[in-house]
Amino acid sequence: MTSWPALVDAHAGLVWQTIRRLLTHESDAADCFQETFLAAFEAHRSGPVRHWPAYLIQVATHQAIDRLRRRTREQRHIDFVPDFNGIAGTSAPPPALAEERELAERLRRAVAALPEDQAAVFWMTSFEPLSRAEIAAALGLTANHVGVLLHRARRALDTALGPTAASPSPDSLSTAEELTR
Amino acid sequence: MTSHEPALADGICPSSLVDRAVLAVRETSPSAPVPPDLVAAVANFDTPAGFSVPQPAAEPAPRPSLLRLLLIALSVAVLVAAGAFMISPLDRQSVAFADVAYQIRKIKAVRCTIRVAGLRDDVPEQAGVHYESDTGICRTEYPDAVLLTDPKAGRLLMLRPQEQVAVESPLRPDPDHPAASGLIEAFRQEIGKARAAGRERIDGIDTQVFELTRGSSLETYWVDPTTRLPVRVEARTQVMGRDTTWTMDRFEWGVSLDPDLLSFGVPAGYRSTVFDPGEPMRFDDHGNPLIDQPRGGRPVDK
């Protein structure tokens, strides 16, 4: 069995990446990282964890969304001034990069305004290397329920972000198909 | 956006704004690796009972010898002595609070600016503040008026240079109406009740953030760890049913203030108006006393 330090070592990067997508301020991310591992550590006492990556991603996503939600509610400093440290080199020219950052911020704020389960499902589906079944298992839901939540989240985000052009995304289509089955 | 193209195979629909936003998050999120000290911190959590590390079988305890008892006593003494010098995270926080409190209490006078947002629908009001801690006198310079308050003497003087009018009144502080001097004094007196709320970079300074709840007001103080003095103060509270934000910054701590600035003397040529003590003053949306339609006031020409 894996020791706790080895477990941390194996998954720290994954958790950090998950948190950093949601929280652009490093100090917030650091706090959230510790809260995630503390929660994971405490939760593990009550029983074995079948799929550590899925579990940690789920905890990190919830923690980060919760923090983002609080920050957004407080309408404070966070995320209105992105932390430019550590942003990867990108080929996009500055105006396009600025536009992308603004769009990314709008998405984070819109996700923070979603109901918690929708926010978690949308974020994990969009960014994490997990199948829908793994996400469902991590969240204690059925795959169909994940599909429904994802559909609702995307519809709410579409409204929040503004008018979209033309066709819905493949994700929306597949979810819509699930709904009509 | 050409940078989006490679992700099309990822199930992304470029015509969907949500999908474009997802790509934007992917492409602009910080990609620096997790700081090693952070990993070390969480890796050091104690292993809970029953966690994956196999526990060795318990051995029967050896019969304590006199030497063993002496060693145990010595170890306990060493641990107690070491504990006295060790600082727990909570204590470290207390040290920081005490240090900040010590620094700020040494300061006798400060200049800064204060802005109010949410009280009016148009641009936030900005004013210059001069505050002297020994006397408690505060001078707030608005674009069209000067407000002097003396909480110890319980008086207020409003000067309107354009109208050449001075309004004198008893000071009736509204606890829900933040004042610059009140915020500074709150921090001076109540920093021990504040919560540490992480760090944040303000104007190039990696500040330590403290939060303080007083009544319905949530106050945040960004403190420069070098000077141990705030570089920004923000109060969020409801005033007249509106969510307002009072922000103070551009601090100049420990300045020497001209005594004339804090004088309650009415400048020559001003028409002076006083209000009966029993009559509450009315304030406009900016928090300024209403002087155009005084109620119960008694105009006095000095």
Side-chain angles (χ1 to χ4, degrees), chain A residues 2 4 27 41 44-45 75-77 86 88 100 126 154 161 165 169, chain B residues 3 15 17 19 26-27 31-32 42 46 48 51-52 199-200 211 220 236:
Chain A
T2 315
W4 175 255
S27 58
F41 183 73
H44 191 273
R45 287 176 165 171
Q75 295 180 339
R76 281 210 308 221
H77 36 75
E100 284 189 333
S126 302
R154 290 190 62 93
L161 292 177
S169 71
Chain B
S3 56
S15 60
L17 192 55
D19 284 343
R26 287 183 188 174
E27 293 184 4
S31 61
V42 299
D46 288 333
F51 186 54
S52 53
R199 302 184 81 91
E200 190 184 357
E211 288 182 338
T220 310
R236 290 177 172 273

PDB file of all heavy atoms in Angstrom, chain A residues 2 4 27 41 44-45 75-77 86 88 100 126 154 161 165 169, chain B residues 3 15 17 19 26-27 31-32 42 46 48 51-52 199-200 211 220 236:
ATOM      1  N   THR A   2       0.354   2.301  -0.567  1.00  0.00           N
ATOM      2  CA  THR A   2       1.138   3.514  -0.709  1.00  0.00           C
ATOM      3  C   THR A   2       1.131   4.320   0.582  1.00  0.00           C
ATOM      4  O   THR A   2       0.095   4.468   1.219  1.00  0.00           O
ATOM      5  CB  THR A   2       0.536   4.375  -1.834  1.00  0.00           C
ATOM      6  OG1 THR A   2       0.241   3.529  -2.940  1.00  0.00           O
ATOM      7  CG2 THR A   2       1.513   5.444  -2.263  1.00  0.00           C
ATOM      8  N   TRP A   4       1.439   7.792   2.837  1.00  0.00           N
ATOM      9  CA  TRP A   4       0.864   9.128   2.628  1.00  0.00           C
ATOM     10  C   TRP A   4       1.831  10.053   1.880  1.00  0.00           C
ATOM     11  O   TRP A   4       1.438  10.686   0.889  1.00  0.00           O
ATOM     12  CB  TRP A   4       0.442   9.731   3.970  1.00  0.00           C
ATOM     13  CG  TRP A   4      -0.036  11.148   3.849  1.00  0.00           C
ATOM     14  CD1 TRP A   4       0.631  12.275   4.210  1.00  0.00           C
ATOM     15  CD2 TRP A   4      -1.273  11.595   3.280  1.00  0.00           C
ATOM     16  NE1 TRP A   4      -0.103  13.389   3.924  1.00  0.00           N
ATOM     17  CE2 TRP A   4      -1.274  13.003   3.350  1.00  0.00           C
ATOM     18  CE3 TRP A   4      -2.370  10.938   2.711  1.00  0.00           C
ATOM     19  CZ2 TRP A   4      -2.341  13.772   2.888  1.00  0.00           C
ATOM     20  CZ3 TRP A   4      -3.439  11.718   2.249  1.00  0.00           C
ATOM     21  CH2 TRP A   4      -3.412  13.110   2.343  1.00  0.00           C
ATOM     22  N   SER A  27      -1.561  32.602  -3.633  1.00  0.00           N
ATOM     23  CA  SER A  27      -1.768  32.401  -2.197  1.00  0.00           C
ATOM     24  C   SER A  27      -3.088  31.671  -1.939  1.00  0.00           C
ATOM     25  O   SER A  27      -3.172  30.800  -1.067  1.00  0.00           O
ATOM     26  CB  SER A  27      -1.758  33.747  -1.456  1.00  0.00           C
ATOM     27  OG  SER A  27      -2.751  34.581  -1.974  1.00  0.00           O
ATOM     28  N   PHE A  41      -6.990  13.676   3.645  1.00  0.00           N
ATOM     29  CA  PHE A  41      -6.349  12.950   4.738  1.00  0.00           C
ATOM     30  C   PHE A  41      -7.380  12.536   5.794  1.00  0.00           C
ATOM     31  O   PHE A  41      -7.421  11.387   6.251  1.00  0.00           O
ATOM     32  CB  PHE A  41      -5.295  13.876   5.350  1.00  0.00           C
ATOM     33  CG  PHE A  41      -4.483  13.258   6.444  1.00  0.00           C
ATOM     34  CD1 PHE A  41      -3.526  12.311   6.170  1.00  0.00           C
ATOM     35  CD2 PHE A  41      -4.680  13.633   7.760  1.00  0.00           C
ATOM     36  CE1 PHE A  41      -2.779  11.746   7.180  1.00  0.00           C
ATOM     37  CE2 PHE A  41      -3.936  13.081   8.775  1.00  0.00           C
ATOM     38  CZ  PHE A  41      -2.988  12.136   8.478  1.00  0.00           C
ATOM     39  N   HIS A  44      -9.918   9.926   4.446  1.00  0.00           N
ATOM     40  CA  HIS A  44      -9.359   8.603   4.262  1.00  0.00           C
ATOM     41  C   HIS A  44      -9.450   7.754   5.517  1.00  0.00           C
ATOM     42  O   HIS A  44      -9.447   6.525   5.457  1.00  0.00           O
ATOM     43  CB  HIS A  44      -7.901   8.717   3.816  1.00  0.00           C
ATOM     44  CG  HIS A  44      -7.343   7.405   3.365  1.00  0.00           C
ATOM     45  ND1 HIS A  44      -6.769   6.506   4.239  1.00  0.00           N
ATOM     46  CD2 HIS A  44      -7.319   6.831   2.141  1.00  0.00           C
ATOM     47  CE1 HIS A  44      -6.381   5.442   3.553  1.00  0.00           C
ATOM     48  NE2 HIS A  44      -6.707   5.609   2.296  1.00  0.00           N
ATOM     49  N   ARG A  45      -9.535   8.425   6.639  1.00  0.00           N
ATOM     50  CA  ARG A  45      -9.622   7.677   7.904  1.00  0.00           C
ATOM     51  C   ARG A  45     -10.903   6.848   7.965  1.00  0.00           C
ATOM     52  O   ARG A  45     -10.961   5.834   8.642  1.00  0.00           O
ATOM     53  CB  ARG A  45      -9.617   8.645   9.091  1.00  0.00           C
ATOM     54  CG  ARG A  45      -8.270   9.257   9.328  1.00  0.00           C
ATOM     55  CD  ARG A  45      -8.363  10.262  10.445  1.00  0.00           C
ATOM     56  NE  ARG A  45      -7.050  10.619  10.936  1.00  0.00           N
ATOM     57  CZ  ARG A  45      -6.821  11.601  11.785  1.00  0.00           C
ATOM     58  NH1 ARG A  45      -7.816  12.332  12.231  1.00  0.00           N
ATOM     59  NH2 ARG A  45      -5.607  11.863  12.189  1.00  0.00           N
ATOM     60  N   GLN A  75     -16.853  40.028  -3.804  1.00  0.00           N
ATOM     61  CA  GLN A  75     -16.535  40.981  -4.881  1.00  0.00           C
ATOM     62  C   GLN A  75     -15.229  41.675  -4.604  1.00  0.00           C
ATOM     63  O   GLN A  75     -15.114  42.891  -4.672  1.00  0.00           O
ATOM     64  CB  GLN A  75     -17.645  42.027  -5.018  1.00  0.00           C
ATOM     65  CG  GLN A  75     -18.948  41.424  -5.448  1.00  0.00           C
ATOM     66  CD  GLN A  75     -20.019  42.449  -5.580  1.00  0.00           C
ATOM     67  OE1 GLN A  75     -19.927  43.525  -5.013  1.00  0.00           O
ATOM     68  NE2 GLN A  75     -21.039  42.149  -6.325  1.00  0.00           N
ATOM     69  N   ARG A  76     -14.245  40.857  -4.254  1.00  0.00           N
ATOM     70  CA  ARG A  76     -12.980  41.470  -3.908  1.00  0.00           C
ATOM     71  C   ARG A  76     -11.940  41.216  -4.961  1.00  0.00           C
ATOM     72  O   ARG A  76     -12.201  40.629  -6.008  1.00  0.00           O
ATOM     73  CB  ARG A  76     -12.524  40.954  -2.548  1.00  0.00           C
ATOM     74  CG  ARG A  76     -13.246  41.645  -1.435  1.00  0.00           C
ATOM     75  CD  ARG A  76     -12.383  41.709  -0.235  1.00  0.00           C
ATOM     76  NE  ARG A  76     -11.870  40.394   0.082  1.00  0.00           N
ATOM     77  CZ  ARG A  76     -11.787  39.937   1.301  1.00  0.00           C
ATOM     78  NH1 ARG A  76     -12.197  40.664   2.281  1.00  0.00           N
ATOM     79  NH2 ARG A  76     -11.265  38.762   1.556  1.00  0.00           N
ATOM     80  N   HIS A  77     -10.754  41.624  -4.590  1.00  0.00           N
ATOM     81  CA  HIS A  77      -9.568  41.597  -5.426  1.00  0.00           C
ATOM     82  C   HIS A  77      -9.376  40.399  -6.346  1.00  0.00           C
ATOM     83  O   HIS A  77      -8.929  40.525  -7.439  1.00  0.00           O
ATOM     84  CB  HIS A  77      -8.355  41.676  -4.521  1.00  0.00           C
ATOM     85  CG  HIS A  77      -8.531  40.932  -3.234  1.00  0.00           C
ATOM     86  ND1 HIS A  77      -8.469  39.586  -3.168  1.00  0.00           N
ATOM     87  CD2 HIS A  77      -8.831  41.376  -1.988  1.00  0.00           C
ATOM     88  CE1 HIS A  77      -8.689  39.204  -1.924  1.00  0.00           C
ATOM     89  NE2 HIS A  77      -8.901  40.281  -1.182  1.00  0.00           N
ATOM     90  N   GLY A  86       3.986  32.739 -13.649  1.00  0.00           N
ATOM     91  CA  GLY A  86       3.795  31.320 -13.887  1.00  0.00           C
ATOM     92  C   GLY A  86       2.916  30.986 -15.062  1.00  0.00           C
ATOM     93  O   GLY A  86       2.681  29.823 -15.335  1.00  0.00           O
ATOM     94  N   ALA A  88       2.162  30.097 -18.606  1.00  0.00           N
ATOM     95  CA  ALA A  88       3.053  29.457 -19.574  1.00  0.00           C
ATOM     96  C   ALA A  88       3.264  30.353 -20.779  1.00  0.00           C
ATOM     97  O   ALA A  88       2.415  31.165 -21.124  1.00  0.00           O
ATOM     98  CB  ALA A  88       2.450  28.134 -20.010  1.00  0.00           C
ATOM     99  N   GLU A 100      -8.333  36.271 -24.198  1.00  0.00           N
ATOM    100  CA  GLU A 100      -8.497  34.925 -23.643  1.00  0.00           C
ATOM    101  C   GLU A 100      -8.579  34.964 -22.130  1.00  0.00           C
ATOM    102  O   GLU A 100      -9.380  34.261 -21.515  1.00  0.00           O
ATOM    103  CB  GLU A 100      -7.326  34.039 -24.073  1.00  0.00           C
ATOM    104  CG  GLU A 100      -7.425  33.572 -25.508  1.00  0.00           C
ATOM    105  CD  GLU A 100      -6.374  32.520 -25.807  1.00  0.00           C
ATOM    106  OE1 GLU A 100      -5.329  32.532 -25.149  1.00  0.00           O
ATOM    107  OE2 GLU A 100      -6.620  31.695 -26.694  1.00  0.00           O
ATOM    108  N   SER A 126     -14.817  19.269 -18.130  1.00  0.00           N
ATOM    109  CA  SER A 126     -14.126  20.102 -19.113  1.00  0.00           C
ATOM    110  C   SER A 126     -12.617  20.060 -18.977  1.00  0.00           C
ATOM    111  O   SER A 126     -11.912  20.284 -19.957  1.00  0.00           O
ATOM    112  CB  SER A 126     -14.597  21.558 -18.964  1.00  0.00           C
ATOM    113  OG  SER A 126     -15.985  21.641 -19.124  1.00  0.00           O
ATOM    114  N   ARG A 154     -24.062  23.840 -18.696  1.00  0.00           N
ATOM    115  CA  ARG A 154     -23.688  24.471 -19.964  1.00  0.00           C
ATOM    116  C   ARG A 154     -24.751  25.466 -20.422  1.00  0.00           C
ATOM    117  O   ARG A 154     -24.431  26.524 -20.962  1.00  0.00           O
ATOM    118  CB  ARG A 154     -23.462  23.400 -21.042  1.00  0.00           C
ATOM    119  CG  ARG A 154     -22.222  22.560 -20.817  1.00  0.00           C
ATOM    120  CD  ARG A 154     -21.938  21.699 -22.022  1.00  0.00           C
ATOM    121  NE  ARG A 154     -21.672  22.520 -23.188  1.00  0.00           N
ATOM    122  CZ  ARG A 154     -20.447  22.905 -23.570  1.00  0.00           C
ATOM    123  NH1 ARG A 154     -19.406  22.525 -22.893  1.00  0.00           N
ATOM    124  NH2 ARG A 154     -20.290  23.668 -24.636  1.00  0.00           N
ATOM    125  N   LEU A 161     -22.462  33.773 -20.210  1.00  0.00           N
ATOM    126  CA  LEU A 161     -21.343  34.298 -20.993  1.00  0.00           C
ATOM    127  C   LEU A 161     -21.811  35.136 -22.172  1.00  0.00           C
ATOM    128  O   LEU A 161     -21.025  35.837 -22.789  1.00  0.00           O
ATOM    129  CB  LEU A 161     -20.466  33.150 -21.514  1.00  0.00           C
ATOM    130  CG  LEU A 161     -19.683  32.389 -20.454  1.00  0.00           C
ATOM    131  CD1 LEU A 161     -18.923  31.227 -21.085  1.00  0.00           C
ATOM    132  CD2 LEU A 161     -18.713  33.300 -19.738  1.00  0.00           C
ATOM    133  N   ALA A 165     -22.726  31.469 -30.928  1.00  0.00           N
ATOM    134  CA  ALA A 165     -23.044  31.372 -32.352  1.00  0.00           C
ATOM    135  C   ALA A 165     -23.437  29.950 -32.706  1.00  0.00           C
ATOM    136  O   ALA A 165     -22.945  28.993 -32.128  1.00  0.00           O
ATOM    137  CB  ALA A 165     -21.836  31.780 -33.182  1.00  0.00           C
ATOM    138  N   SER A 169     -22.475  22.517 -28.698  1.00  0.00           N
ATOM    139  CA  SER A 169     -21.247  21.730 -28.696  1.00  0.00           C
ATOM    140  C   SER A 169     -21.580  20.249 -28.701  1.00  0.00           C
ATOM    141  O   SER A 169     -22.695  19.846 -28.406  1.00  0.00           O
ATOM    142  CB  SER A 169     -20.446  22.042 -27.445  1.00  0.00           C
ATOM    143  OG  SER A 169     -21.114  21.478 -26.350  1.00  0.00           O
TER     144      SER A 169
ATOM    145  N   SER B   3      -5.023  29.783 -31.958  1.00  0.00           N
ATOM    146  CA  SER B   3      -4.533  28.947 -30.870  1.00  0.00           C
ATOM    147  C   SER B   3      -5.580  27.937 -30.414  1.00  0.00           C
ATOM    148  O   SER B   3      -5.278  27.012 -29.691  1.00  0.00           O
ATOM    149  CB  SER B   3      -4.105  29.810 -29.683  1.00  0.00           C
ATOM    150  OG  SER B   3      -5.185  30.620 -29.300  1.00  0.00           O
ATOM    151  N   SER B  15     -17.586  27.324 -32.141  1.00  0.00           N
ATOM    152  CA  SER B  15     -18.663  28.315 -32.217  1.00  0.00           C
ATOM    153  C   SER B  15     -19.379  28.468 -30.881  1.00  0.00           C
ATOM    154  O   SER B  15     -20.210  29.349 -30.720  1.00  0.00           O
ATOM    155  CB  SER B  15     -19.669  27.913 -33.295  1.00  0.00           C
ATOM    156  OG  SER B  15     -20.209  26.652 -32.966  1.00  0.00           O
ATOM    157  N   LEU B  17     -19.401  29.654 -27.168  1.00  0.00           N
ATOM    158  CA  LEU B  17     -18.631  30.560 -26.305  1.00  0.00           C
ATOM    159  C   LEU B  17     -18.150  29.830 -25.057  1.00  0.00           C
ATOM    160  O   LEU B  17     -17.058  30.095 -24.562  1.00  0.00           O
ATOM    161  CB  LEU B  17     -19.498  31.767 -25.919  1.00  0.00           C
ATOM    162  CG  LEU B  17     -18.763  32.935 -25.267  1.00  0.00           C
ATOM    163  CD1 LEU B  17     -17.610  33.420 -26.126  1.00  0.00           C
ATOM    164  CD2 LEU B  17     -19.730  34.078 -24.991  1.00  0.00           C
ATOM    165  N   ASP B  19     -17.267  26.690 -24.861  1.00  0.00           N
ATOM    166  CA  ASP B  19     -16.098  25.895 -25.225  1.00  0.00           C
ATOM    167  C   ASP B  19     -14.882  26.782 -25.452  1.00  0.00           C
ATOM    168  O   ASP B  19     -13.762  26.422 -25.111  1.00  0.00           O
ATOM    169  CB  ASP B  19     -16.392  25.059 -26.475  1.00  0.00           C
ATOM    170  CG  ASP B  19     -17.268  23.858 -26.138  1.00  0.00           C
ATOM    171  OD1 ASP B  19     -17.360  23.532 -24.946  1.00  0.00           O
ATOM    172  OD2 ASP B  19     -17.870  23.285 -27.052  1.00  0.00           O
ATOM    173  N   ARG B  26      -7.771  26.824 -20.279  1.00  0.00           N
ATOM    174  CA  ARG B  26      -6.666  25.876 -20.456  1.00  0.00           C
ATOM    175  C   ARG B  26      -5.392  26.596 -20.871  1.00  0.00           C
ATOM    176  O   ARG B  26      -4.302  26.269 -20.429  1.00  0.00           O
ATOM    177  CB  ARG B  26      -7.024  24.845 -21.528  1.00  0.00           C
ATOM    178  CG  ARG B  26      -8.045  23.838 -21.067  1.00  0.00           C
ATOM    179  CD  ARG B  26      -8.295  22.822 -22.157  1.00  0.00           C
ATOM    180  NE  ARG B  26      -9.411  21.942 -21.819  1.00  0.00           N
ATOM    181  CZ  ARG B  26      -9.918  21.039 -22.650  1.00  0.00           C
ATOM    182  NH1 ARG B  26      -9.416  20.903 -23.854  1.00  0.00           N
ATOM    183  NH2 ARG B  26     -10.920  20.282 -22.270  1.00  0.00           N
ATOM    184  N   GLU B  27      -5.554  27.573 -21.753  1.00  0.00           N
ATOM    185  CA  GLU B  27      -4.361  28.197 -22.328  1.00  0.00           C
ATOM    186  C   GLU B  27      -3.771  29.285 -21.444  1.00  0.00           C
ATOM    187  O   GLU B  27      -2.600  29.632 -21.599  1.00  0.00           O
ATOM    188  CB  GLU B  27      -4.696  28.754 -23.707  1.00  0.00           C
ATOM    189  CG  GLU B  27      -4.991  27.634 -24.688  1.00  0.00           C
ATOM    190  CD  GLU B  27      -5.239  28.139 -26.102  1.00  0.00           C
ATOM    191  OE1 GLU B  27      -5.104  29.360 -26.318  1.00  0.00           O
ATOM    192  OE2 GLU B  27      -5.564  27.317 -26.964  1.00  0.00           O
ATOM    193  N   SER B  31       0.920  27.648 -15.245  1.00  0.00           N
ATOM    194  CA  SER B  31       1.372  26.266 -15.411  1.00  0.00           C
ATOM    195  C   SER B  31       2.607  25.948 -14.573  1.00  0.00           C
ATOM    196  O   SER B  31       3.232  24.916 -14.779  1.00  0.00           O
ATOM    197  CB  SER B  31       1.673  25.997 -16.886  1.00  0.00           C
ATOM    198  OG  SER B  31       2.708  26.861 -17.301  1.00  0.00           O
ATOM    199  N   ALA B  32       2.955  26.851 -13.669  1.00  0.00           N
ATOM    200  CA  ALA B  32       4.137  26.590 -12.841  1.00  0.00           C
ATOM    201  C   ALA B  32       3.884  25.357 -11.973  1.00  0.00           C
ATOM    202  O   ALA B  32       2.749  25.112 -11.552  1.00  0.00           O
ATOM    203  CB  ALA B  32       4.416  27.797 -11.959  1.00  0.00           C
ATOM    204  N   VAL B  42       2.177  19.245   3.150  1.00  0.00           N
ATOM    205  CA  VAL B  42       1.059  18.299   3.233  1.00  0.00           C
ATOM    206  C   VAL B  42       1.556  16.860   3.398  1.00  0.00           C
ATOM    207  O   VAL B  42       0.861  16.022   3.960  1.00  0.00           O
ATOM    208  CB  VAL B  42       0.100  18.406   2.020  1.00  0.00           C
ATOM    209  CG1 VAL B  42      -0.521  19.770   1.935  1.00  0.00           C
ATOM    210  CG2 VAL B  42       0.790  18.058   0.732  1.00  0.00           C
ATOM    211  N   ASP B  46       0.431  13.909   9.869  1.00  0.00           N
ATOM    212  CA  ASP B  46       0.645  12.651  10.596  1.00  0.00           C
ATOM    213  C   ASP B  46      -0.149  11.530   9.947  1.00  0.00           C
ATOM    214  O   ASP B  46      -1.250  11.731   9.478  1.00  0.00           O
ATOM    215  CB  ASP B  46       0.185  12.788  12.041  1.00  0.00           C
ATOM    216  CG  ASP B  46       1.147  13.660  12.818  1.00  0.00           C
ATOM    217  OD1 ASP B  46       2.336  13.714  12.447  1.00  0.00           O
ATOM    218  OD2 ASP B  46       0.692  14.296  13.770  1.00  0.00           O
ATOM    219  N   PRO B  48      -2.618   8.758   9.969  1.00  0.00           N
ATOM    220  CA  PRO B  48      -3.659   8.387  10.911  1.00  0.00           C
ATOM    221  C   PRO B  48      -3.648   6.886  11.201  1.00  0.00           C
ATOM    222  O   PRO B  48      -3.109   6.106  10.440  1.00  0.00           O
ATOM    223  CB  PRO B  48      -4.942   8.780  10.171  1.00  0.00           C
ATOM    224  CG  PRO B  48      -4.578   8.668   8.731  1.00  0.00           C
ATOM    225  CD  PRO B  48      -3.128   9.025   8.628  1.00  0.00           C
ATOM    226  N   PHE B  51      -4.172   3.916   8.562  1.00  0.00           N
ATOM    227  CA  PHE B  51      -3.825   4.343   7.218  1.00  0.00           C
ATOM    228  C   PHE B  51      -2.781   3.392   6.668  1.00  0.00           C
ATOM    229  O   PHE B  51      -2.142   2.662   7.403  1.00  0.00           O
ATOM    230  CB  PHE B  51      -3.326   5.787   7.259  1.00  0.00           C
ATOM    231  CG  PHE B  51      -3.066   6.365   5.908  1.00  0.00           C
ATOM    232  CD1 PHE B  51      -4.059   6.348   4.945  1.00  0.00           C
ATOM    233  CD2 PHE B  51      -1.851   6.920   5.600  1.00  0.00           C
ATOM    234  CE1 PHE B  51      -3.826   6.884   3.696  1.00  0.00           C
ATOM    235  CE2 PHE B  51      -1.614   7.454   4.364  1.00  0.00           C
ATOM    236  CZ  PHE B  51      -2.601   7.443   3.414  1.00  0.00           C
ATOM    237  N   SER B  52      -2.563   3.461   5.390  1.00  0.00           N
ATOM    238  CA  SER B  52      -1.860   2.422   4.639  1.00  0.00           C
ATOM    239  C   SER B  52      -0.560   1.888   5.247  1.00  0.00           C
ATOM    240  O   SER B  52      -0.157   0.806   4.909  1.00  0.00           O
ATOM    241  CB  SER B  52      -1.571   2.964   3.249  1.00  0.00           C
ATOM    242  OG  SER B  52      -0.909   4.196   3.375  1.00  0.00           O
ATOM    243  N   ARG B 199      -2.163  36.149   1.896  1.00  0.00           N
ATOM    244  CA  ARG B 199      -1.304  37.211   1.400  1.00  0.00           C
ATOM    245  C   ARG B 199      -1.827  37.668   0.049  1.00  0.00           C
ATOM    246  O   ARG B 199      -2.455  36.905  -0.679  1.00  0.00           O
ATOM    247  CB  ARG B 199       0.135  36.718   1.260  1.00  0.00           C
ATOM    248  CG  ARG B 199       0.711  36.186   2.559  1.00  0.00           C
ATOM    249  CD  ARG B 199       2.150  35.797   2.386  1.00  0.00           C
ATOM    250  NE  ARG B 199       3.032  36.940   2.457  1.00  0.00           N
ATOM    251  CZ  ARG B 199       3.594  37.381   3.578  1.00  0.00           C
ATOM    252  NH1 ARG B 199       3.350  36.780   4.707  1.00  0.00           N
ATOM    253  NH2 ARG B 199       4.392  38.424   3.574  1.00  0.00           N
ATOM    254  N   GLU B 200      -1.525  38.914  -0.263  1.00  0.00           N
ATOM    255  CA  GLU B 200      -1.932  39.425  -1.569  1.00  0.00           C
ATOM    256  C   GLU B 200      -0.980  40.532  -1.990  1.00  0.00           C
ATOM    257  O   GLU B 200      -0.508  41.302  -1.165  1.00  0.00           O
ATOM    258  CB  GLU B 200      -3.354  39.976  -1.524  1.00  0.00           C
ATOM    259  CG  GLU B 200      -3.866  40.271  -2.911  1.00  0.00           C
ATOM    260  CD  GLU B 200      -5.243  40.907  -2.899  1.00  0.00           C
ATOM    261  OE1 GLU B 200      -5.794  41.051  -1.811  1.00  0.00           O
ATOM    262  OE2 GLU B 200      -5.725  41.258  -3.974  1.00  0.00           O
ATOM    263  N   GLU B 211      -8.457  40.347   8.404  1.00  0.00           N
ATOM    264  CA  GLU B 211      -9.879  40.681   8.323  1.00  0.00           C
ATOM    265  C   GLU B 211     -10.423  40.883   9.719  1.00  0.00           C
ATOM    266  O   GLU B 211     -10.072  40.144  10.650  1.00  0.00           O
ATOM    267  CB  GLU B 211     -10.652  39.571   7.617  1.00  0.00           C
ATOM    268  CG  GLU B 211     -10.360  39.519   6.124  1.00  0.00           C
ATOM    269  CD  GLU B 211     -11.157  38.452   5.402  1.00  0.00           C
ATOM    270  OE1 GLU B 211     -11.610  37.500   6.074  1.00  0.00           O
ATOM    271  OE2 GLU B 211     -11.311  38.564   4.184  1.00  0.00           O
ATOM    272  N   THR B 220     -11.055  44.891   5.962  1.00  0.00           N
ATOM    273  CA  THR B 220      -9.866  44.169   5.510  1.00  0.00           C
ATOM    274  C   THR B 220      -8.683  45.128   5.530  1.00  0.00           C
ATOM    275  O   THR B 220      -8.797  46.275   5.088  1.00  0.00           O
ATOM    276  CB  THR B 220     -10.078  43.628   4.085  1.00  0.00           C
ATOM    277  OG1 THR B 220     -11.326  42.927   4.039  1.00  0.00           O
ATOM    278  CG2 THR B 220      -8.972  42.680   3.693  1.00  0.00           C
ATOM    279  N   ARG B 236     -16.504  47.066   4.243  1.00  0.00           N
ATOM    280  CA  ARG B 236     -17.735  46.795   3.494  1.00  0.00           C
ATOM    281  C   ARG B 236     -18.874  46.768   4.488  1.00  0.00           C
ATOM    282  O   ARG B 236     -18.864  45.978   5.429  1.00  0.00           O
ATOM    283  CB  ARG B 236     -17.650  45.456   2.768  1.00  0.00           C
ATOM    284  CG  ARG B 236     -16.691  45.474   1.619  1.00  0.00           C
ATOM    285  CD  ARG B 236     -16.563  44.133   0.955  1.00  0.00           C
ATOM    286  NE  ARG B 236     -15.761  44.261  -0.254  1.00  0.00           N
ATOM    287  CZ  ARG B 236     -16.256  44.585  -1.438  1.00  0.00           C
ATOM    288  NH1 ARG B 236     -17.557  44.757  -1.581  1.00  0.00           N
ATOM    289  NH2 ARG B 236     -15.476  44.701  -2.482  1.00  0.00           N
TER     290      ARG B 236
END
